[in-house]
Amino acid sequence: MIRRRPLAVRRRDFAQSQSSTASQGTTPDTLVIIVSSKTTSGVSYPRSMKKATAKHLIERYFRQLTDGCGNEDCTNEFCASCQRFRPVDKNSAAVKALELYKVNAKLCSPQKKDLDPDERESSTNGYRPEFNRMTSSDLFPTKEAFSDVYFLTEDSVSVILGFCEEEGDFSALIRVIGRVFSSAEALTQSFRKTPTCSASSGGANGGAAVDADTEGETTAPPVDDTGGAAAAAASPASTKETASSPLGSNDDDLTLDVEGVRRVYDRLQAHEQIEASLVNALVYLCPNLELDLEYLDMYHTNRDYLNIFVLVMENTNLHSPEYLETALPLFCKAVCKLPVEAHARLTRVWSRLGAARIRRLMETFQQLITFTIISNEYDAETLVNDDETVVAATKCLKLVFYASVLGGDLDVGHNEDSDDSDSDDDEITLQELLGEERLYRRGPRVDLLERELGARTLDVRRPVVPFEDFVNESVNEVVEMDKDFTFYKVDADSKFSFQSCPFILNAVTKSQGLYYDNRIRMYSERRITALYSMAQGQQPNPYLKLKVRREHIIDDALVRLEMISMENPSDLKKQLFVEFEGEQGVDEGGVSKEFFQLVLEEIFNPDIGMFTYDQETRSFWFNSSSLENEAQYSLIGIVLGLAIYNNCILDVHFPMVVYRKLMGKKGTFPDLADSHPVLYQSLKQLLDYSGNVEEDIVTSFQISGTDLFGNPITHDLKEQGEGIPVTNHNKQEFVDMYTDYILNKSVERQFKAFKKGFLMVTNESPLKYLFRPEEVELLICGSRNLDFKALEETTDYDGGYSKDCQVVKDFWETIHSFGEDQKRQFLQFTTGSDRAPVGGLGKLKMIIAKNGADTDRLPTSHTCFNALLLPEYSSKEKLKERLLKAITYAKGFGML
């Protein structure tokens, strides 16, 4: 364990060392170098000879950088006599001299006219006597030589590491690592970028090239007059220059040399002795970071403070148990203390790292979350929401998630006009009178990170790391969604809710949160209705009741829903209760399912002409030539909203662009691949065509189509489009305008009415904040994959049946032998829908109950409760025959 001085003492000494350096004005002229005795250019030299040669050359580079060669016309950009040369302090010159030696840069010869007569003879060899300021003892520094190193660079780490490897003792490096990596001030100044200059191809005058094996070992930090290694990294003066250089001029640019940091980590992690020092230093550092950020606002004082967080996360061993237990949890808590603008800047920095490094960051935080959850136990009293480590790691994972979004295929434009009626009302609501306005507010608070970044999850088509990889199943297994929902809606300021980071939740868990939101709103409407009814002396009507005739279901539903939407749209938030005229079924959910199914069958009937059907994609699209009024399209929008609100699954076949448009994005060219694949391929070939488009393809900015009756019609994408040819220069514009017309402008009237109806039900729902477009489709349509093995494993039995009964075994053998259509018919008969719910059939709680002894009666079902009433048939053949007849001819409801 590294023994550390108190923080106040270290900061005092740190400040004194900096002021001492600044007051001296100059730095020592002597150098400490470590040179291997390996061969150079195939020739073996004595160890002492090679070290003396290296020392001599480095000193010449140092003098060249500080004093120059004396030639006023010098063109060597690494010489102080060159007019283009930018003066540097001697500490920086010492580091630069080392770099020039390693690359065998051009070395000037001092002008003889500048030398004394007795020096000129020596200068013929390019060597001045006063250059030799080094003693043999300087070639072999002691551990104490590095005791005053408070900053690190790649070169200084290489020096110390080389010394330790030669000595076979890493205690000096361990002490330096512990001192620097446990200090926020030291890390902020360490591994700074320096302006890069390309080395001249000219070789050193009289020097030999350094081979690859010795390059990493021949480095030299500047030392003071007493022989100590003072400021092995850049001096305060040089770091100030770097901070104000063009490298840091961009808001998101760092003054940190990230590539150098990676190389340093690679070298350090090759030695197990050093790993413990890094872990311990991080444990010591993180509480200080928290205090600095919370009480001293260090980020706004010094924007380079962000370097620390980038530097630490470049450590590729953070996922190891040594870090997961203590160091990484503390670091995540420190990250959470950064202000939102720092989070946004860190996110943008990470977004440029590339897929492999973003994935590594994601996996690091995911492993911390999983490791913490499996190491603890959670229940209704001990919530995972209260685990500081899980919460902090999830918030850090959020930064990586948005880094993946920013680095992906992003489209922040092409947004639909907002149709949300979120304007504030001066009228006091009943919830406000009851003190419950927070529970019923419209949607969650604005995500501050999204606003700072100017990008949403919806804006990315293909992130760097797939969305699914950010889902953590361990969290989904232990989170209590009823409590989490309360935190999300009511206690967001004091409690953490995983719904504020919905990327970590799967669709099943998020649907539970949506279910709680819908049910609370239903109960709210009941209370409001009851109070108003009592005040006005009227009969309360707590449900959204629809009484319809099967033969006129569209007319009846349209008239009733249209009246409700005009008179009191809030009634759409009540629980749906459907009654078919002339039938005795009581709606506990099953009757509503059949109502939705019948409405959809009628509306999507090709004879009505509201939608067109694509045989290839098996999906429907809005008919731009439809003669139906907007109320019909509003109805289908209301139906979709009611299905989500009442937890019903619909057999709807829309392309994904419909759900993207519902969430607020316009259709663009990539959407055509899903909705109009033939047109997409044609336009893609046009874009890819390398020949002369105008002469070979011969088309214009006028497109053609047919109306509802098959008559040809034309449309100009531009004014006088018929006379504007498509060329190689404007073909992209043509494709964009063609796409915009097909997906947006041509169906604007129909889709606007459809979306209006949908938002009548869902405008106050957190749907758009929790779900992505593909998840909304899953929520409405359910899963298309039918896993009856999973259904068998989760089915419950009642009335004397069990999974070991012969009739039950015969039943499942019969079901598994059915074809795809027969399986869907069975689901429709038993549950009221032929789709699997979100999460698959394993999430469907079906009940098989005994319905008497052997009989000729058909099986029956309670679709409201997903219950199948199955008589105890005497044979498997009879069971199959009765079951097939029941599912084939089932229609209507009755009382048993």
Side-chain angles (χ1 to χ4, degrees):
M1 197 72 172
I2 299 175
R3 298 182 60 187
R4 303 176 181 83
R5 294 169 295 165
L7 179 61
V9 176
R10 290 190 295 108
R11 289 184 174 175
R12 182 199 64 199
D13 293 348
F14 178 84
Q16 289 177 352
S17 68
Q18 305 312 302
S19 61
S20 175
T21 304
S23 63
Q24 292 174 6
T26 59
T27 54
D29 296 344
T30 56
L31 303 173
V32 175
I33 59 173
I34 298 170
V35 186
S36 173
S37 58
K38 298 178 183 178
T39 61
T40 304
S41 303
V43 181
S44 179
Y45 293 99
R47 180 185 181 96
S48 60
M49 181 183 298
K50 185 168 184 182
K51 289 184 176 179
T53 303
K55 178 187 71 172
H56 170 62
L57 288 174
I58 294 172
E59 286 184 336
R60 291 189 60 192
Y61 281 120
F62 178 76
R63 290 296 181 183
Q64 179 175 292
L65 291 166
T66 55
D67 299 337
C69 66
N71 182 5
E72 296 180 356
D73 299 324
C74 180
T75 59
N76 185 357
E77 58 184 334
F78 302 118
C79 179
S81 298
C82 178
Q83 293 182 355
R84 300 193 307 273
F85 181 80
R86 292 178 59 185
V88 295
D89 64 273
K90 294 192 176 182
N91 261 345
S92 300
V95 176
K96 190 64 179 177
L98 203 37
E99 295 175 357
L100 296 178
Y101 170 74
K102 288 163 62 177
V103 299
N104 196 25
K106 181 179 179 181
L107 187 60
C108 298
S109 296
Q111 296 297 301
K112 292 186 178 182
K113 64 180 180 179
D114 297 331
L115 304 180
D116 295 332
D118 56 348
E119 294 177 328
R120 291 178 182 174
E121 182 177 357
S122 298
S123 70
T124 58
N125 296 322
Y127 174 68
R128 292 173 60 182
E130 64 267 28
F131 284 8
N132 188 9
R133 301 291 183 92
M134 306 182 76
T135 65
S136 59
S137 62
D138 292 330
L139 297 175
F140 303 98
T142 62
K143 299 177 185 177
E144 290 72 19
F146 307 109
S147 61
D148 57 351
V149 175
Y150 287 99
F151 308 105
L152 287 176
T153 64
E154 184 179 4
D155 286 333
S156 62
V157 172
S158 181
V159 169
I160 304 172
L161 187 57
F163 167 79
C164 294
E165 289 173 342
E166 292 251 348
E167 295 293 321
D169 180 6
F170 289 88
S171 59
L173 181 58
I174 289 174
R175 284 195 292 270
V176 173
I177 291 294
R179 182 165 58 250
V180 173
F181 275 76
S182 62
S183 167
E185 297 93 338
L187 283 181
T188 304
Q189 301 296 337
S190 294
F191 305 107
R192 289 297 194 101
K193 286 180 181 177
T194 55
T196 56
C197 298
S198 57
S200 175
S201 59
N205 189 7
V210 182
D211 64 18
D213 291 332
T214 62
E215 181 180 346
E217 301 176 5
T218 310
T219 54
V223 296
D224 59 18
D225 291 332
T226 61
S235 68
S238 64
T239 54
K240 289 178 182 177
E241 289 178 11
T242 304
S244 61
S245 70
L247 292 170
S249 59
N250 188 290
D251 181 62
D252 293 333
D253 278 346
L254 296 172
T255 55
L256 181 72
D257 180 10
V258 178
E259 290 297 330
V261 169
R262 291 170 184 167
R263 291 190 293 268
V264 167
Y265 273 127
D266 289 341
R267 296 196 63 184
L268 294 181
Q269 289 167 356
H271 304 278
E272 295 182 2
Q273 307 96 311
I274 302 174
E275 193 70 38
S277 178
L278 288 170
V279 174
N280 294 333
L282 189 57
V283 170
Y284 188 86
L285 170 71
C286 291
N288 294 331
L289 294 179
E290 287 192 63
L291 294 174
D292 285 350
L293 291 168
E294 187 167 3
Y295 297 107
L296 302 180
D297 195 19
M298 284 300 296
Y299 176 76
H300 292 112
T301 303
N302 180 11
R303 288 175 57 82
D304 289 341
Y305 207 78
L306 196 70
N307 290 3
I308 301 172
F309 299 91
V310 178
L311 188 153
V312 171
M313 287 308 300
E314 285 298 326
N315 187 342
T316 56
N317 278 353
L318 289 177
H319 63 278
S320 62
E322 294 82 3
Y323 288 95
L324 292 178
E325 290 179 358
T326 307
L328 190 56
L330 291 174
F331 178 74
C332 290
K333 294 173 187 176
V335 173
C336 295
K337 295 295 183 180
L338 285 167
V340 65
E341 56 265 38
H343 282 158
R345 186 174 169 219
L346 185 58
T347 298
R348 287 190 288 264
V349 169
W350 282 347
S351 71
R352 298 192 290 267
L353 293 181
R357 298 188 186 279
I358 294 177
R359 175 172 289 278
R360 180 181 61 77
L361 292 173
M362 180 271 295
E363 290 174 347
T364 298
F365 294 124
Q366 287 281 38
Q367 287 179 357
L368 176 58
I369 294 170
T370 303
F371 175 81
T372 305
I373 289 177
I374 64 177
S375 301
N376 297 280
E377 294 184 0
Y378 304 96
D379 52 32
E381 299 298 326
T382 307
L383 299 175
V384 68
N385 304 67
D386 296 327
D387 191 310
E388 293 182 352
T389 297
V390 174
V391 170
T394 302
K395 291 180 178 179
C396 291
L397 186 62
K398 181 177 182 178
L399 305 184
V400 183
F401 175 80
Y402 279 102
S404 176
V405 168
L406 291 181
D409 184 7
L410 197 63
D411 176 18
V412 294
H414 301 102
N415 296 313
E416 293 272 7
D417 294 333
S418 177
D419 292 322
D420 296 310
S421 54
D422 289 341
S423 56
D424 295 331
D425 234 342
D426 293 334
E427 187 176 339
I428 298 178
T429 64
L430 180 61
Q431 285 89 357
E432 291 173 331
L433 290 174
L434 296 175
E436 300 175 351
E437 67 277 6
R438 288 187 301 165
L439 191 59
Y440 303 101
R441 67 171 183 268
R442 294 183 173 182
R445 295 175 177 83
V446 175
D447 190 290
L448 298 179
L449 180 60
E450 273 194 357
R451 185 171 65 182
E452 190 74 23
L453 292 172
R456 304 168 295 167
T457 304
L458 183 64
D459 293 330
V460 67
R461 288 185 176 274
R462 187 170 54 256
V464 175
V465 178
F467 291 123
E468 295 76 14
D469 292 351
F470 284 91
V471 175
N472 188 294
E473 292 302 335
S474 297
V475 170
N476 287 271
E477 290 173 3
V478 299
V479 64
E480 300 285 343
M481 283 306 293
D482 55 342
K483 305 285 181 59
D484 190 87
F485 172 78
T486 304
F487 300 156
Y488 179 66
K489 297 293 289 187
V490 181
D491 299 324
D493 294 332
S494 58
K495 288 285 190 176
F496 174 78
S497 168
F498 286 98
Q499 291 182 78
S500 65
C501 299
F503 57 84
I504 203 172
L505 303 175
N506 57 36
V508 177
T509 306
K510 285 189 280 190
S511 66
Q512 293 176 9
L514 186 65
Y515 173 82
Y516 287 121
D517 184 82
N518 294 339
R519 285 299 177 266
I520 287 177
R521 292 189 186 280
M522 289 179 184
Y523 298 150
S524 171
E525 291 300 328
R526 289 185 190 178
R527 294 175 63 191
I528 294 173
T529 300
L531 288 173
Y532 284 157
S533 299
M534 290 173 59
Q536 299 174 3
Q538 298 177 354
Q539 184 71 22
N541 184 19
Y543 298 100
L544 171 60
K545 288 189 176 181
L546 295 179
K547 187 173 183 178
V548 296
R549 297 166 293 175
R550 284 185 179 270
E551 297 78 11
H552 306 280
I553 190 168
I554 293 295
D555 294 336
D556 293 349
L558 178 63
V559 170
R560 178 67 179 141
L561 291 174
E562 192 171 16
M563 289 177 59
I564 293 173
S565 62
M566 289 189 300
E567 295 176 359
N568 191 9
S570 63
D571 280 358
L572 294 174
K573 308 295 194 324
K574 296 179 179 179
Q575 184 174 351
L576 181 63
F577 190 94
V578 177
E579 179 183 350
F580 284 102
E581 191 174 285
E583 299 181 18
Q584 296 177 316
V586 177
D587 191 4
E588 293 290 343
V591 180
S592 296
K593 292 178 184 178
E594 176 140 352
F595 164 76
F596 285 127
Q597 194 64 35
L598 294 175
V599 168
L600 292 177
E601 288 178 2
E602 190 74 20
I603 286 181
F604 286 102
N605 189 332
D607 295 337
I608 294 182
M610 291 181 65
F611 296 90
T612 59
Y613 183 70
D614 190 304
Q615 292 287 349
E616 183 178 349
T617 62
R618 297 184 178 181
S619 62
F620 289 92
W621 183 248
F622 298 86
N623 189 345
S624 58
S625 303
S626 174
L627 301 179
E628 298 293 337
N629 58 35
E630 296 178 7
Q632 296 277 32
Y633 287 99
S634 294
L635 173 62
I636 186 62
I638 292 175
V639 167
L640 257 66
L642 287 175
I644 293 177
Y645 198 64
N646 290 272
N647 203 31
C648 292
I649 296 173
L650 304 181
D651 185 18
V652 178
H653 302 272
F654 280 134
M656 186 57 62
V657 63
V658 171
Y659 301 101
R660 285 179 56 82
K661 286 169 69 67
L662 280 176
M663 302 290 277
K665 297 296 289 186
K666 289 184 177 181
T668 55
F669 177 62
D671 293 312
L672 286 177
D674 185 35
S675 62
H676 300 75
V678 176
L679 176 60
Y680 173 79
Q681 288 298 330
S682 298
L683 294 178
K684 189 174 185 300
Q685 290 175 4
L686 172 64
L687 292 175
D688 295 340
Y689 188 70
S690 58
N692 191 316
V693 172
E694 183 176 3
E695 295 181 358
D696 299 342
I697 297 181
V698 191
T699 188
S700 67
F701 276 76
Q702 183 182 78
I703 59 177
S704 60
T706 57
D707 62 14
L708 186 63
F709 305 103
N711 300 318
I713 56 175
T714 60
H715 174 77
D716 286 344
L717 299 177
K718 282 185 172 184
E719 188 176 351
Q720 304 295 325
E722 184 180 9
I724 304 175
V726 177
T727 66
N728 293 71
H729 299 292
N730 63 17
K731 63 181 180 180
Q732 183 64 60
E733 181 187 12
F734 171 78
V735 169
D736 292 340
M737 296 186 73
Y738 199 157
T739 301
D740 184 50
Y741 175 76
I742 294 296
L743 297 180
N744 303 311
K745 292 182 177 179
S746 67
V747 295
E748 183 176 7
R749 177 181 66 87
Q750 294 86 345
F751 185 82
K752 190 172 182 179
F754 169 76
K755 185 177 181 180
K756 178 182 178 182
F758 182 78
L759 292 178
M760 282 183 184
V761 186
T762 63
N763 64 329
E764 296 179 5
S765 168
L767 179 74
K768 64 187 295 186
Y769 302 97
L770 296 180
F771 294 86
R772 303 189 306 274
E774 58 270 23
E775 292 176 322
V776 174
E777 181 191 31
L778 186 63
L779 202 64
I780 295 174
C781 306
S783 174
R784 300 182 183 182
N785 299 322
L786 303 181
D787 184 1
F788 276 82
K789 289 289 185 181
L791 178 62
E792 181 180 358
E793 292 175 0
T794 58
T795 296
D796 294 328
Y797 302 94
D798 195 14
Y801 279 158
S802 70
K803 64 178 181 180
D804 297 322
C805 293
Q806 186 58 47
V807 66
V808 171
K809 293 180 180 178
D810 292 342
F811 168 79
W812 285 114
E813 289 177 6
T814 301
I815 291 295
H816 293 315
S817 68
F818 281 172
E820 189 73 14
D821 291 339
Q822 291 174 328
K823 288 180 178 179
R824 291 191 180 278
Q825 286 180 329
F826 168 75
L827 279 181
Q828 182 72 47
F829 173 75
T830 309
T831 68
S833 172
D834 64 352
R835 297 291 188 94
V838 178
L841 288 179
K843 300 296 181 181
L844 182 67
K845 296 298 183 182
M846 190 176 78
I847 301 173
I848 299 179
K850 186 175 181 178
N851 192 24
D854 183 31
T855 180
D856 288 336
R857 287 186 295 124
L858 298 175
T860 55
S861 66
H862 292 303
T863 55
C864 305
F865 309 105
N866 302 329
L868 175 67
L869 306 182
L870 184 67
E872 192 173 9
Y873 294 114
S874 58
S875 67
K876 179 179 177 181
E877 291 73 19
K878 185 175 183 180
L879 184 151
K880 182 175 182 179
E881 183 268 333
R882 297 279 87 187
L883 184 60
L884 279 173
K885 183 170 290 188
I887 65 177
T888 303
Y889 299 104
K891 197 170 188 179
F893 294 88
M895 299 293 292
L896 297 179

